[in-house]
Amino acid sequence: MSELRKRQDPGKIADTDPQNHDILPRRSTFVLSSMLSGFDRPRLVILIFFAVFAAWILSPQETSSLSHSYAVCSSSGARIYTVDHAVPHAQCLVVDGSLILDVGSLDDIMARWVARGRLRSSLQIRYLDESSIVVPGLSDSHGHILEYGASRQFLLENAKTIKDAVALVRQYILDNDDILNDPSKFIEGSGWDHTSWPVEEWPTSDDLDMDPIIRGRPVILQSKDGHAFWLSKEIFALNSPWPSEIEGGVIMKDSSGNPSGVVLDKAEDLVQKPAPTEQDLLRHFNVAVKDILSHGLTSVHDAGFRPVSLEFFTRQAAAGNLPFRIYGMRYFNETDPYWGNLSEPIINAGDGRLNARSVKIFADGALRSGGAALHEPYHDNPHTKGVMRVDPKVLADVVYKFLRDGWQVNIHAIGDYANGVVLDAFEAALKDVDITALRPRLEHAQILTQTDLERVGKLGVISSIQPTHAISDMWFAEERLGPERVKGLYAFRSLLDHGSRLAIGSDFPVEDMNPLAGFHAAITRLTPEGLSPNGPSGWFPEQRLTRMEALRGMTIDAAYASFTEDSLGSLVPGKRADYVVLSQDIMTVPVDQILRTKVQATVIDGRVAFGKV
């Protein structure tokens, strides 16, 4: 009986908690009042007791057998974070099919259950562990799903030198008989990072071809930031002739003027490689699915659907094979004909699992590889200001056309010059188009001048940011940008204070997919080990976000950035039942404990996709 009493008395909510207000529609309130008019309080308590008892004894013990309607309740106070201003915390969340039916205290929920005439049907009640919390389904606002799966096939992240990377390629060949026995088979890997090596230098084709096992094989190794290919001599031969220059890209040369082994940004497009098969795509997708769900992600904004990706996800949606929600950005190639007036956006395909109503455009390169377009030369390389991948006039033209034709425009912009050019294009389009309604986005928004920080909010532009980029780049950023310009890098607080919404992501596979890593980085600006160039207070700590701001960036503001805030992003009645159960309260535990948090369950449309409730 003591165990039964414990299950039935999960604790009281503080009187100051607003969770019991403004939830029930007026009609339901009237019905409840009418029903209760014939009951005195003791009889009502008994009635609710038996309703709870029936739910308890009838509820199955396995998560997979959750009924059509069920409740998830905290046994230790209001530990459900709704991310709703009206009702920020709740004790219980009621799911009915794929939707949220109710939130509030257990007493009020059971009273409303009776008022709805559902006394004859049992309501499963699942109690959280004492330390656990519930948050809305988490979103990654900038990731690369199929590229992530492909990158997991052969990783170079652990290479600490060029020699280490070459050794990993050699071992990969020796470990795979199909590759070892077929010298023509393409070898693809990713994750090398020259900025982390003791001597920061670019690798060369000679480094690969000096190894007899590798020599003569087609090898393509993508850098950690995705903006550079390290190529073998065989790849250069297969793709010859190479132009002396390419607009928006770089072909690195040796002292004789020949390609040395690395190509940057638009020059990557010159590399031809075999198209992935359907089997390849499915293998890559399945690898990504497993990690996405285990990290508590229910939605991913895929930042750059190439045609093969768009077609693949469209097929999966039609077949009902999307285990999580995907918001896709269609790929833009300035050499192709304009298609914004010829294509229709994809809206809520696969029962709301697939949307593709935006376009992704690259304005410049990356800071790590020196391709970010700056107003002034790089501090550590005064011979360059970086690279614009698209001509500003072309950018202004296509931005206007896409917005005119109803597409959200999401633009990769890293350097302060590139961000300024993009904002110019948005501002020019504003003369004829209500761009706020189309919610344009700066993807990364890494370095902005003070004037442009103010302009982002005024124009209604969303800042799609990746906090883990900040803690990766902080170790070399000042050397690259100088002591003054670096202050405008990853200025999250300034963006928010100037009125820009923040949609938070990771840019996986460039950074760790785990959204809690981004949460930790956003509120501390420290590495997971608690380090920064500025000490334990964090790297430019004045740019830190609060925990609620970071959570909103992964939930309701990410939903706003994908036009889904009416159905996703917060736990309120009528929205989709996407939620995550975490093993501890990330909103209150010491920051050095946040990354110890485990995802206990990922639930999408009311059904458990990972773990158990």
Side-chain angles (χ1 to χ4, degrees):
M1 181 62 72
S2 61
E3 176 64 18
L4 177 59
R5 186 175 295 113
K6 179 181 178 182
R7 285 174 176 262
Q8 293 170 343
D9 185 17
K12 299 297 182 181
I13 309 300
D15 292 339
T16 57
D17 194 304
Q19 65 183 7
N20 298 324
H21 302 297
D22 303 325
I23 298 176
L24 208 61
R26 291 183 179 180
R27 183 172 180 274
S28 298
T29 305
F30 173 77
V31 173
L32 176 59
S33 300
S34 300
M35 289 188 64
L36 298 186
S37 62
F39 289 102
D40 55 21
R41 183 171 179 80
R43 291 178 65 191
L44 176 60
V45 171
I46 292 172
L47 179 63
I48 294 177
F49 171 86
F50 277 108
V52 177
F53 178 75
W56 180 78
I57 61 173
L58 292 174
S59 63
Q61 298 305 305
E62 295 300 323
T63 303
S64 60
S65 58
L66 285 172
S67 67
H68 187 72
S69 299
Y70 66 91
V72 177
C73 294
S74 168
S75 61
S76 56
R79 299 181 65 82
I80 295 173
Y81 288 87
T82 66
V83 194
D84 176 49
H85 289 303
V87 187
H89 308 91
Q91 181 189 5
C92 293
L93 170 73
V94 180
V95 174
D96 186 39
S98 62
L99 301 177
I100 298 169
L101 179 67
D102 204 350
V103 292
S105 70
L106 180 58
D107 288 347
D108 285 353
I109 278 175
M110 292 312 301
R112 288 194 285 267
W113 188 260
V114 173
R116 290 184 175 104
R118 297 196 177 195
L119 182 59
R120 294 183 180 180
S121 61
S122 66
L123 177 65
Q124 290 186 35
I125 299 179
R126 295 278 173 163
Y127 287 106
L128 302 172
D129 294 340
E130 187 171 341
S131 62
S132 300
I133 66 168
V134 171
V135 297
L138 300 174
S139 291
D140 191 308
S141 294
H142 188 112
H144 304 274
I145 299 168
L146 295 179
E147 290 80 359
Y148 175 87
S151 74
R152 299 298 99 177
Q153 310 302 306
F154 176 32
L155 288 169
L156 296 165
E157 291 177 346
N158 293 328
K160 302 303 181 185
T161 64
I162 292 175
K163 184 177 179 180
D164 285 349
V166 172
L168 288 173
V169 176
R170 172 191 175 92
Q171 194 60 48
Y172 180 72
I173 295 170
L174 294 174
D175 289 343
N176 292 273
D177 288 342
D178 60 326
I179 298 175
L180 180 63
N181 297 325
D182 184 359
S184 67
K185 198 172 185 67
F186 275 63
I187 300 165
E188 296 184 58
S190 64
W192 59 272
D193 178 11
H194 72 294
T195 67
S196 68
W197 296 341
V199 177
E200 186 177 324
E201 59 181 339
W202 292 104
T204 69
S205 297
D206 287 337
D207 293 321
L208 291 170
D209 281 30
M210 285 176 63
D211 188 293
I213 298 295
I214 302 173
R215 187 181 304 128
R217 296 176 184 270
V219 181
I220 305 172
L221 306 175
Q222 190 170 48
S223 62
K224 175 181 171 64
D225 63 13
H227 287 261
F229 281 164
W230 175 12
L231 307 174
S232 66
K233 289 185 176 180
E234 182 66 13
I235 289 292
F236 279 106
L238 291 172
N239 290 273
S240 64
W242 288 77
S244 57
E245 294 182 352
I246 178 170
E247 186 175 355
V250 175
I251 303 168
M252 292 195 170
K253 307 289 181 60
D254 60 22
S255 58
S256 300
N258 298 313
S260 61
V262 171
V263 298
L264 305 176
D265 294 307
K266 286 295 291 182
E268 290 179 324
D269 294 343
L270 300 174
V271 179
Q272 301 297 312
K273 54 185 178 178
T277 65
E278 186 73 4
Q279 185 178 8
D280 292 333
L281 295 173
L282 284 169
R283 183 173 64 253
H284 299 165
F285 184 53
N286 289 334
V287 168
V289 166
K290 179 181 176 182
D291 290 352
I292 284 167
L293 296 177
S294 69
H295 283 308
L297 292 169
T298 58
S299 301
V300 173
H301 301 185
D302 194 293
F305 274 171
R306 291 180 180 270
V308 65
S309 303
L310 178 62
E311 292 164 6
F312 174 79
F313 287 123
T314 301
R315 291 194 298 272
Q316 299 307 309
N321 292 336
L322 293 182
F324 57 91
R325 305 186 194 283
I326 300 175
Y327 182 75
M329 308 176 201
R330 293 187 57 174
Y331 180 74
F332 168 77
N333 187 336
E334 65 271 20
T335 62
D336 291 340
Y338 174 73
W339 49 261
N341 58 341
L342 303 175
S343 299
E344 292 291 328
I346 297 173
I347 307 293
N348 289 329
D351 191 27
R353 298 291 175 95
L354 178 64
N355 285 274
R357 57 179 297 177
S358 63
V359 59
K360 164 76 174 297
I361 301 173
F362 280 93
D364 64 345
L367 182 65
R368 186 181 299 269
S369 53
L374 305 175
H375 281 292
E376 300 297 330
Y378 278 80
H379 189 259
D380 61 349
N381 186 0
H383 302 294
T384 181
K385 295 181 181 180
V387 179
M388 283 294 291
R389 291 182 55 157
V390 58
D391 183 274
K393 292 182 180 179
V394 174
L395 182 67
D397 179 58
V398 297
V399 164
Y400 171 76
K401 287 179 178 177
F402 277 117
L403 290 170
R404 177 200 64 192
D405 292 329
W407 293 87
Q408 183 189 43
V409 178
N410 305 340
I411 305 182
H412 165 112
I414 305 294
D416 52 10
Y417 176 75
N419 276 287
V421 168
V422 172
L423 292 175
D424 287 344
F426 286 145
E427 192 166 21
L430 183 60
K431 296 174 183 177
D432 297 310
V433 181
D434 181 5
I435 66 170
T436 302
L438 293 169
R439 306 179 187 182
R441 295 168 44 160
L442 282 176
E443 299 299 321
H444 309 302
Q446 283 189 11
I447 316 169
L448 289 92
T449 64
Q450 183 60 41
T451 299
D452 286 339
L453 281 170
E454 297 171 3
R455 208 163 38 136
V456 172
K458 289 178 181 178
L459 292 174
V461 175
I462 297 165
S463 298
S464 174
I465 62 170
Q466 300 75 44
T468 45
H469 278 333
I471 62 170
S472 290
D473 292 1
M474 63 185 178
W475 302 105
F476 65 81
E478 185 168 339
E479 179 182 355
R480 190 142 297 171
L481 295 173
E484 287 303 314
R485 187 166 43 183
V486 74
K487 296 175 182 177
L489 181 63
Y490 299 112
F492 304 149
R493 165 62 49 200
S494 296
L495 286 165
L496 191 65
D497 288 349
H498 283 105
S500 180
R501 285 194 189 232
L502 304 184
I504 294 178
S506 67
D507 201 9
F508 67 78
V510 177
E511 302 286 358
D512 186 352
M513 177 189 288
N514 183 3
L516 295 181
F519 181 87
H520 178 270
I523 68 172
T524 68
R525 295 177 72 96
L526 294 168
T527 66
E529 297 77 24
L531 304 175
S532 86
N534 297 102
S537 62
W539 186 57
F540 295 108
E542 66 275 11
Q543 296 295 343
R544 292 179 301 196
L545 301 179
T546 68
R547 299 193 197 208
M548 183 51 69
E549 288 165 348
L551 182 61
R552 288 182 62 85
M554 297 176 176
T555 54
I556 191 65
D557 289 337
Y560 177 84
S562 57
F563 300 90
T564 55
E565 74 276 13
D566 289 339
S567 59
L568 303 172
S570 59
L571 302 177
V572 298
K575 287 194 175 186
R576 294 274 194 169
D578 290 9
Y579 65 90
V580 179
V581 182
L582 300 176
S583 64
Q584 61 176 347
D585 191 347
I586 61 172
M587 306 301 285
T588 60
V589 298
V591 293
D592 61 358
Q593 295 182 28
I594 288 173
L595 294 178
R596 301 177 189 174
T597 307
K598 304 297 182 185
V599 174
Q600 294 180 321
T602 304
V603 180
I604 302 177
D605 279 333
R607 294 181 176 273
V608 176
F610 169 82
K612 67 178 182 178
V613 179

